[in-house]
Amino acid sequence: MKVVGQAIPHESAREHVTGRALYTDDLLPRYPQALHAWPVQAPHAHARVLRLEPAPAHRVPGVVRVLTAADVPGLNDAGIKGDEPLFPCEVMYHGQAVAWVLAETEEAARLGAERVVVEYEPLPAILTLEEAIAQGSFQGATLQIRRGDLEQGFRASARVLSGALYLGGQEHFYLETQASLALLDETGHILVHSSTQHPSETQEVVAQVLGLPRNQVTVQCIRMGGGFGGKEVQASPYAAVAALGAYLTRRPVRVRLNRWQDIALTGKRHPFYARWKVGCSEEGRLLALQIELFSDGGWSLDLSEAVLARALCHIDNAYFIPHLEVTGRVCKTHKTSQTAFRGFGGPQGMVFIEEVLTQVAQTLGLPPEVVRERNFYGPSDSPETSTTHYGQPIKDVERIRLIWDELKSSAEFERRRREVALFNAQNPQRKRGLAITPVKFGISFNFTAYNQAGALVLVYQDGSVQVNHGGTEMGQGLYTKIQQIAAEALGVPLEAIRLMPTRTDKIPNTSATAASTGSDLNGAAVKEACEKIKARLAVVAAQRFGVNPADVVFEDGQVWSIWKPEERLAFAEVVRAAYAQRVQLFADGFYRTPGLHWDKARMRGKPFHYFAYGAAVSEVEVDGFTGQYTVRRVDILHDVGDSLSPLIDLGQVEGGFMQGLGWLTVEDLRWDAEGRLATRSASTYKLPSFSELPPVFNVRLLPRATETGVVYGSKAVGEPPLMLAISVREALRDAVAAFGAGGYVELASPATPEAVYWAIEKVRRGALVFGD
Ligand code: MTE
Ligand code: MOS
């Protein structure tokens, strides 16, 4: 029986729900000697540190040491771009840590941090995208992608429209906040347990801060309680503080942010602002689009350029735009350093193009879904209209339309359109809205070198197996998929496979578990390692059976030849025989995604191995007095290739969708005039919860969707479904439109009830004016 593709629960599901699953900070009780760290946080968004006096902290009983810039033996920088001082002399955002206090207890560290005397000279701060654009406060390169000839496109256009939209950011709100525990190991070198999506980079940063070669630093991640991109680079500063503390005090040091600290200190999804000019035909076909994107990168560069590049690469979503110019800039503001967040700029790019299409549709008085359809890429026999603006031919371009048509019919879109129209005609104060939107998302890291992975598989004499790979588990089910892949590739039952915690001393130079590539990359590396071992075992078994090694079958812990299936050996017997013959029972595996190339300067090439596709239909009901609304029903059809693990994939589609719904409808980050984040906990920052879950939620995976060239025909699933939630934003706009008399409905993002209320007010006023 095939193990890959079986619908099994997450390998830690029982541990998750019973509380037995351990996270980094749960290791703390094993180290009673551990010191606790607490940050000294600056009360200004931008200021010079004039004086820092640690001595008073030592009057608090239990305070052991105050870490400052003077303590750093290596480089005082917690990033890899050289712009993130671990202990800054210039404060760049409200709440930034300028020093860390180590003490016997968390409480003593907190009290000690209060006593540290810091004198600041406040400086003017840039707190909004508008201010940054006006003052030319940018960081990193200007990015641009062009296709065709804009002038010509606009000249040929029957209509030329312009618009602008601001998109809010998003707090990751992983349940487990940033956590690290550093110790000197038995050889006197550093071991850091870290809740990091990128153990190798965390290792690099720790080594850099301590001034040690990387072989003296080991980073281990047992699992994360969610990362969502927030631990791709931003786990490293806390690992560095813990490591520095352990290095200086020779005692274990634990850093674990509380929720307030985590929200105040760590970066979020980038807020974006875009302004555009679009030209189209009377039928709503896009002819020319000129669009400028500005992202709020916060105080340091972090991953902002890469996030912006992905936004530029996804400005097309599923649509062919013959003449296109998209330009992007990262703004520098005195806020947290915005970072990776599920979709990595893709969602922002896609919201903008969906906005533009709706603007075109509503201006022309056409149904938005008709305008969307008219602009799809394809047909597949037309290379021009099946190639992206950065020059990549779209493999399986016909899937966009296939999924769209299939979903429209299974969700009974046309019938429900009529029902919604009827409901709206009968109800002056409540309106329903319906929308369908597509997703096309490129899979691979834009940065080609990251598309590699390694594995190390060990088979013991009793036939049990340990699997090491470079990917980290954050709840997304990577370990479950890897376990299935290893069991399938070796022909052993799932229980025979043990997944080892991710450590830099097992697999070196790994990439972040990100860009949804965890199972594509690590899965392929693990499969290769397993197949090497199996090939060696096949030779041993073939001798026993007197057949050709190619005729030996490994399945479910048993080994036989196709010529005599009834004569079976246990996998462990073959392993023991191999050991006796001195056959190597462990192997490495390596994978690099083939065929990728990307010219960063020209922004052209083939950055993606393939695309993930999906579509969603959402229906909402809006109250005209308050702007409050409910999501009544959602239908999703999503392409994961041949699912490696259907339950995991369904969970990823549902979870991704809900996280996108949160971003676009309820999650609202607010900063006060001093640049202090006002929404610093679940009481002020609204998260989607069960109450936002649509009562009818039909999620299906596209059948017969084998993706050749990816491990077991699968496709990545982690990020693409987030963007299916754009259908909710569009359904809300559809409902708001029903309160008015036609035309483009402007809707702020996030589309909170308040934003929806103001949008209704506006269309009602517009209707009155038209009516007069
Ligand atoms: N799912 C859960 N439960 N928790 C997470 O932190 N992160 C998402 C996605 N799904 C995340 C998740 C993000 S941002 C990415 S890039 C992928 O998982 C990473 O894992 P993968 O590459 O193994 O899919
Ligand atoms: Mo995901 S944003 O690529 O960690």
Side-chain angles (χ1 to χ4, degrees):
M1 196 170 58
K2 271 183 88 72
V3 193
V4 153
Q6 259 185 49
I8 57 167
H10 190 285
E11 46 82 32
S12 291
R14 281 170 197 84
E15 286 73 17
H16 289 157
V17 298
T18 55
R20 283 200 305 268
L22 292 189
Y23 298 85
T24 294
D25 202 51
D26 295 324
L27 304 177
L28 181 64
R30 300 178 189 182
Y31 305 98
Q33 291 299 304
L35 296 173
H36 304 254
W38 197 274
V40 177
Q41 293 182 264
H44 302 284
H46 190 199
R48 220 182 318 275
V49 178
L50 298 178
R51 190 169 72 93
L52 199 151
E53 189 54 67
H58 288 284
R59 276 180 234 134
V60 176
V63 168
V64 170
R65 185 147 188 162
V66 179
L67 301 178
T68 68
D71 294 311
V72 176
L75 189 68
N76 178 18
D77 198 290
I80 58 164
K81 296 206 158 66
D83 65 347
E84 290 179 43
L86 184 58
F87 302 99
C89 48
E90 182 180 344
V91 172
M92 292 296 285
Y93 66 100
H94 203 289
Q96 185 171 13
V98 293
W100 288 79
V101 177
L102 306 181
E104 302 288 348
T105 63
E106 198 170 18
E107 184 61 5
R110 185 180 72 79
L111 294 172
E114 278 179 8
R115 297 284 183 91
V116 173
V117 176
V118 193
E119 219 177 284
Y120 300 95
E121 178 196 340
L123 299 168
I126 298 175
L127 296 173
T128 63
L129 268 172
E130 297 71 50
E131 287 164 16
I133 296 168
Q135 298 182 29
S137 175
F138 299 119
Q139 51 187 334
T142 302
L143 304 184
Q144 189 173 67
I145 308 180
R146 307 174 66 145
R147 147 183 241 163
D149 176 348
L150 270 189
E151 292 281 301
Q152 188 195 324
F154 283 121
R155 261 200 314 276
S157 297
R159 302 276 189 114
V160 175
L161 312 169
S162 56
L165 180 68
Y166 172 82
L167 282 181
Q170 186 177 22
E171 163 58 33
H172 297 87
F173 229 104
Y174 27 63
L175 290 181
E176 179 209 21
T177 52
Q178 303 280 357
S180 280
L181 177 65
L183 7 140
L184 296 183
D185 67 15
E186 53 292 344
T187 66
H189 298 301
I190 293 282
L191 169 65
V192 189
H193 292 280
S194 170
S195 181
T196 174
Q197 285 175 248
H198 199 170
S200 285
E201 192 174 288
T202 299
Q203 174 198 25
E204 178 182 350
V205 168
V206 167
Q208 160 182 300
V209 169
L210 297 184
L212 293 174
R214 289 185 211 173
N215 68 352
Q216 310 298 337
V217 178
T218 299
V219 173
Q220 166 163 323
C221 176
I222 43 179
R223 62 158 65 73
M224 282 164 278
F228 305 114
K231 296 171 181 171
E232 201 178 318
V233 298
Q234 300 215 357
S236 300
Y238 311 103
V241 169
L244 178 63
Y247 190 73
L248 296 174
T249 63
R250 323 298 288 175
R251 288 175 64 175
V253 174
R254 166 242 195 180
V255 176
R256 194 221 51 178
L257 302 184
N258 65 28
R259 182 64 63 186
W260 273 52
Q261 292 164 342
D262 194 294
I263 298 187
L265 288 171
T266 67
K268 300 157 201 333
R269 182 187 294 286
H270 289 72
F272 265 67
Y273 172 77
R275 48 190 188 213
W276 63 84
K277 191 168 118 180
V278 60
C280 61
S281 71
E282 288 294 350
E283 296 78 45
R285 238 178 255 280
L286 299 188
L287 294 170
L289 176 66
Q290 182 174 32
I291 182 163
E292 281 176 284
L293 311 184
F294 298 92
S295 74
D296 182 345
W299 72 280
S300 73
L301 203 47
D302 193 287
L303 290 165
S304 296
E305 277 179 314
V307 167
L308 184 65
R310 195 170 267 273
L312 263 68
C313 285
H314 286 79
I315 199 71
D316 59 337
N317 193 9
Y319 312 107
F320 170 65
I321 308 163
H323 305 286
L324 172 68
E325 180 192 282
V326 53
T327 315
R329 291 250 49 186
V330 178
C331 294
K332 184 166 186 156
T333 59
H334 295 100
K335 299 223 281 265
T336 55
S337 180
Q338 317 317 358
T339 190
F341 196 141
R342 207 171 193 171
F344 206 84
Q348 290 94 327
M350 287 190 198
V351 171
F352 290 132
I353 189 63
E354 296 302 340
E355 181 81 20
V356 168
L357 283 165
T358 303
Q359 179 188 19
V360 164
Q362 291 184 328
T363 306
L364 297 172
L366 295 168
E369 63 275 9
V370 170
V371 169
R372 291 195 159 84
E373 263 171 45
R374 284 184 181 157
N375 284 288
F376 280 160
Y377 277 116
S380 52
D381 56 8
S382 155
E384 158 83 359
T385 59
S386 302
T387 301
T388 65
H389 52 305
Y390 44 88
Q392 171 160 354
I394 305 170
K395 192 154 103 53
D396 302 326
V397 71
E398 63 285 352
R399 271 199 197 172
I400 298 171
R401 216 168 265 277
L402 174 85
I403 289 174
W404 184 265
D405 292 342
E406 174 76 33
L407 180 69
K408 261 175 100 181
S409 100
S410 69
E412 299 180 280
F413 190 88
E414 300 303 340
R415 178 180 66 74
R416 287 165 61 206
R417 254 266 173 262
R418 290 192 296 275
E419 277 177 16
V420 164
L422 191 66
F423 178 91
N424 289 346
Q426 291 166 346
N427 291 276
Q429 302 305 346
R430 297 189 75 79
K431 302 289 180 190
R432 289 185 181 164
L434 186 67
I436 174 168
T437 57
V439 166
K440 168 185 128 287
F441 190 81
I443 301 298
S444 292
F445 288 94
N446 267 68
F447 182 54
T448 305
Y450 282 168
N451 297 288
Q452 57 173 308
L456 180 64
V457 175
L458 318 178
V459 175
Y460 293 92
Q461 282 189 61
D462 60 356
S464 67
V465 182
Q466 283 186 348
V467 174
N468 301 277
H469 61 86
T472 54
E473 174 64 38
M474 58 194 102
Q476 86 279 35
L478 174 64
Y479 277 26
T480 312
K481 289 180 171 180
I482 296 283
Q483 198 180 13
Q484 286 175 281
I485 288 168
E488 180 78 37
L490 282 172
V492 297
L494 272 179
E495 306 74 62
I497 308 288
R498 173 167 172 212
L499 266 289
M500 302 309 288
T502 310
R503 291 176 62 114
T504 56
D505 59 355
K506 290 293 174 54
I507 313 297
N509 313 316
T510 52
S511 299
T513 307
S516 307
T517 59
S519 51
D520 284 23
L521 300 178
N522 297 289
V526 165
K527 181 166 181 273
E528 195 206 43
C530 291
E531 283 171 350
K532 279 187 190 169
I533 297 171
K534 190 165 75 175
R536 294 178 200 144
L537 293 176
V539 174
V540 174
Q543 284 166 2
R544 281 275 196 102
F545 295 130
V547 300
N548 196 305
D551 296 340
V552 177
V553 180
F554 290 74
E555 213 179 279
D556 207 19
Q558 298 195 314
V559 184
W560 68 89
S561 98
I562 54 167
W563 304 109
K564 241 190 186 177
E566 64 286 357
E567 188 186 322
R568 298 196 169 200
L569 294 172
F571 181 75
E573 270 177 85
V574 179
V575 168
R576 266 192 300 273
Y579 171 78
Q581 293 178 30
R582 295 183 291 174
V583 170
Q584 188 183 342
L585 288 170
F586 59 97
D588 63 330
F590 185 73
Y591 177 77
R592 54 178 166 184
T593 315
L596 300 178
H597 54 94
W598 181 240
D599 179 341
K600 202 175 156 205
R602 291 176 54 239
M603 294 204 69
R604 292 196 72 76
K606 185 185 181 231
F608 306 122
H609 191 32
Y610 59 89
F611 295 96
Y613 303 102
V617 172
S618 292
E619 183 181 330
V620 300
E621 186 174 317
V622 172
D623 176 63
F625 292 118
T626 62
Q628 286 191 337
Y629 52 80
T630 51
V631 179
R632 290 168 45 80
R633 172 172 167 181
V634 172
D635 293 73
I636 289 172
L637 182 58
H638 193 78
D639 174 12
V640 297
D642 288 340
S643 176
L644 291 171
S645 199
L647 269 186
I648 297 289
D649 284 345
L650 274 179
Q652 284 292 295
V653 176
E654 293 171 356
F657 176 85
M658 287 308 291
Q659 201 164 33
L661 179 146
W663 172 48
L664 291 171
T665 65
V666 298
E667 298 181 43
D668 199 356
L669 290 165
R670 298 286 176 105
W671 285 265
D672 68 15
E674 271 77 60
R676 184 184 315 135
L677 190 61
T679 47
R680 275 193 294 173
S681 68
S683 59
T684 46
Y685 185 72
K686 187 166 160 55
L687 294 160
S689 63
F690 283 120
S691 46
E692 275 70 37
L693 199 68
V696 183
F697 196 11
N698 301 318
V699 180
R700 281 191 310 132
L701 304 177
L702 184 72
R704 294 176 300 282
T706 315
E707 182 66 24
T708 51
V710 185
V711 63
Y712 290 113
S714 65
K715 273 190 182 184
V717 69
E719 297 166 285
L722 183 131
M723 287 145 271
L724 296 168
I726 298 173
S727 60
V728 177
R729 174 174 164 77
E730 293 305 322
L732 284 170
R733 195 193 329 250
D734 191 53
V736 173
F739 286 99
Y744 174 34
V745 174
E746 289 179 63
L747 178 61
S749 192
T752 56
E754 187 186 341
V756 169
Y757 173 80
W758 290 116
I760 295 171
E761 279 296 290
K762 201 164 173 193
V763 302
R764 276 182 169 150
R765 276 201 305 274
L768 281 181
V769 175
F770 287 131
D772 285 345

